[in-house]
Amino acid sequence: MKSVYFDSAATTQLRPEVIDKMTQVMHECYGNASSTHSFGRSSKSMIEQARKTVAKYLNVSASEIIFTSGGTEADNLALLSAVRDLGVKKIITSRIEHHAVLYTVQQLEREYGISVVYVDLDDKGHVDYNHLEQLLQSSKKTLVSLMHVNNEVGNILDIKRVGDLCKANNALFHSDTVQSVGHYNLDLQEVKLDFLAVSAHKFHGPKGVGFAFVRKNTGIKPLIFGGEQERGYRAGTEAVHNIVGLEEALKLSYDNLETERAYIIDLKKYFIKQLQSNFSDVSFNGSCSDFENSTYTVLNVCLPIAPEKGPILLFQLDLKGIACSKGSACQSGSAKGSHVLSQILCYEDMQKPSLRFSFSKYNTKEEIDYVIEVLKEFI
């Protein structure tokens, strides 16, 4: 049986170079980075070098990078601290954010009584920037939380425009960039972000590590207490091998960005063409078939398949060795449909099965051909 992986938006395959680097660190640099002896200093040096590397790619100061367990922790750190420590009374977000943001914001609303408002979206799921500007006209201290690249349909936010709107209205700006860092260049001297969340396993790095960008002099306080690691912002002994793995994966992603992006764009175009050639009624959710307004790594497909076949479609594809998704991997255990698609699809299209295929440098056109042949069995 073939084995085909089209679920890189959920997690990516580790690059062999990253595995080699992490293995070397685990063998040679096992000292606690908080220890003052040479073993500890060696580990500390590797962490600080990784911090400088990350900062270089975002064009920020190394002191503005906080290593975390991943994007969810980084989102929580920014959102909770903004309300608890910075006096934020109003959060503007959208109904198609990742649950790491949506659930956190809902908890803050319950616990702190803040005002949560949702910006309007068009029928493709893009933010209504005029409505956002209206919502920013507020006397309350406000934070905007909007993701850069949507993890289900791939829509791209005009992150610079939002940053400028926030700056002009004295609002803080947080963005979940889990699906974009490593795939797009971000210059945080140009983009007026205060907080950013990243996860290494989305760009061929290890799971269990990510980072938060926190603009200097913001005034946040720790989410996790117990030690002075990460300049006092995040207690806990650092996983040196994971942090170095993140650094290596980020370097390789940006060093090979143009070549790998061109390759993946070609794959996605080929997949779209094959779907349209073989399934006359196929449609694409959000703007995922629009390469200007959607990421090159995600394709969310509404298939012309009988609704009764939908619930077992993923299972049947898995039996054929094909890995893809109905939406975010974080909600795969839920019987509920996609909260993202429910905001942009009509009732009729919501009854049809939609699948998210997400790509990496490791995919091939031959794999796409195999997926097409398997999907034909369901028509």
Side-chain angles (χ1 to χ4, degrees), residues 15 18 21 49-50 53-54 56-57 182 203 244-257:
R15 294 180 189 264
V18 173
K21 188 73 172 182
Q49 180 55 54
T53 298
V54 170
K56 179 189 72 173
Y57 286 114
F203 48 84
V244 172
L246 180 156
E247 176 194 20
E248 186 72 9
L250 196 65
K251 284 165 56 178
L252 289 167
S253 292
Y254 281 121
D255 288 351
N256 297 284
L257 182 61

Side-chain angles (χ1 to χ4, degrees), residues 146 181 195 207 254 263 297 317 326 336 375:
L146 295 169
V181 167
F195 307 104
K207 299 172 185 65
Y254 281 121
Y263 176 78
T297 58
L317 290 174
K326 286 196 298 184
K336 297 179 181 178
L375 286 175

Side-chain angles (χ1 to χ4, degrees), residues 118-263:
Y118 298 92
V119 67
D120 289 345
L121 305 170
D122 67 17
D123 60 357
K124 296 289 188 182
H126 291 286
V127 165
D128 182 332
Y129 298 103
N130 291 327
H131 186 230
L132 175 61
E133 189 168 12
Q134 293 171 22
L135 294 177
L136 283 166
Q137 311 301 312
S138 174
S139 59
K140 294 180 179 179
K141 186 161 186 179
T142 300
L143 176 139
V144 172
S145 181
L146 295 169
M147 68 200 316
H148 187 198
V149 171
N150 186 272
N151 58 302
E152 290 196 31
V153 293
N155 288 3
I156 299 176
L157 180 77
D158 188 340
I159 200 169
K160 186 178 187 309
R161 183 175 180 180
V162 175
D164 290 343
L165 283 173
C166 289
K167 186 76 171 177
N169 290 277
N170 297 312
L172 296 169
F173 182 24
H174 160 263
S175 185
D176 183 316
T177 59
V178 165
Q179 295 290 342
S180 60
V181 167
H183 304 287
Y184 291 90
N185 290 303
L186 270 180
D187 184 340
L188 296 187
Q189 299 307 312
E190 295 293 326
V191 178
K192 305 305 180 186
L193 268 165
D194 298 286
F195 307 104
L196 170 153
V198 177
S199 196
H201 74 103
K202 304 298 188 178
F203 48 84
H204 303 289
K207 299 172 185 65
V209 64
F211 65 85
F213 161 76
V214 178
R215 186 77 67 181
K216 65 178 64 174
N217 302 320
T218 305
I220 71 163
K221 294 180 181 177
L223 186 67
I224 298 173
F225 297 87
E228 294 303 314
Q229 293 90 349
E230 293 304 297
R231 294 171 168 80
Y233 287 119
R234 202 262 187 186
T237 301
E238 301 94 338
V240 183
H241 62 294
N242 272 349
I243 292 171
V244 172
L246 180 156
E247 176 194 20
E248 186 72 9
L250 196 65
K251 284 165 56 178
L252 289 167
S253 292
Y254 281 121
D255 288 351
N256 297 284
L257 182 61
E258 297 307 319
T259 301
E260 292 178 1
R261 177 159 52 196
Y263 176 78

Side-chain angles (χ1 to χ4, degrees), residues 23-156:
T23 303
Q24 178 188 356
V25 170
M26 286 189 283
H27 276 298
E28 300 174 2
C29 299
Y30 48 83
N32 188 318
S34 295
S35 298
T36 58
H37 49 60
S38 62
F39 294 89
R41 293 197 306 273
S42 176
S43 293
K44 183 70 171 177
S45 176
M46 298 197 83
I47 292 171
E48 295 311 316
Q49 180 55 54
R51 199 186 314 277
K52 290 176 183 176
T53 298
V54 170
K56 179 189 72 173
Y57 286 114
L58 296 178
N59 194 19
V60 298
S61 167
S63 63
E64 296 173 303
I65 302 299
I66 302 169
F67 290 117
T68 66
S69 63
T72 296
E73 184 191 332
D75 285 330
N76 274 257
L77 173 63
L79 295 168
L80 174 59
S81 189
V83 172
R84 183 192 61 189
D85 307 322
L86 307 183
V88 164
K89 301 297 183 185
K90 176 180 175 181
I91 293 180
I92 301 169
T93 187
S94 84
R95 295 190 184 277
I96 63 170
E97 298 301 302
H98 191 281
H99 283 141
V101 168
L102 285 179
Y103 288 168
T104 304
V105 166
Q106 290 165 11
Q107 177 61 29
L108 292 171
E109 185 178 26
R110 289 189 293 267
E111 190 172 345
Y112 291 90
I114 63 166
S115 170
V116 177
V117 291
Y118 298 92
V119 67
D120 289 345
L121 305 170
D122 67 17
D123 60 357
K124 296 289 188 182
H126 291 286
V127 165
D128 182 332
Y129 298 103
N130 291 327
H131 186 230
L132 175 61
E133 189 168 12
Q134 293 171 22
L135 294 177
L136 283 166
Q137 311 301 312
S138 174
S139 59
K140 294 180 179 179
K141 186 161 186 179
T142 300
L143 176 139
V144 172
S145 181
L146 295 169
M147 68 200 316
H148 187 198
V149 171
N150 186 272
N151 58 302
E152 290 196 31
V153 293
N155 288 3
I156 299 176

Side-chain angles (χ1 to χ4, degrees), residues 285-340:
N285 300 321
S287 293
C288 67
S289 61
D290 174 356
F291 286 81
E292 293 297 318
N293 294 302
S294 179
T295 182
Y296 59 97
T297 58
V298 171
L299 188 65
N300 198 302
V301 184
C302 185
L303 293 162
I305 293 173
E308 61 269 18
K309 294 183 179 180
I312 63 167
L313 182 55
L314 270 184
F315 175 70
Q316 295 290 343
L317 290 174
D318 187 39
L319 289 178
K320 298 283 189 176
I322 298 169
C324 58
S325 173
K326 286 196 298 184
S328 168
C330 303
Q331 63 190 31
S332 59
S334 171
K336 297 179 181 178
S338 162
H339 73 287
V340 174

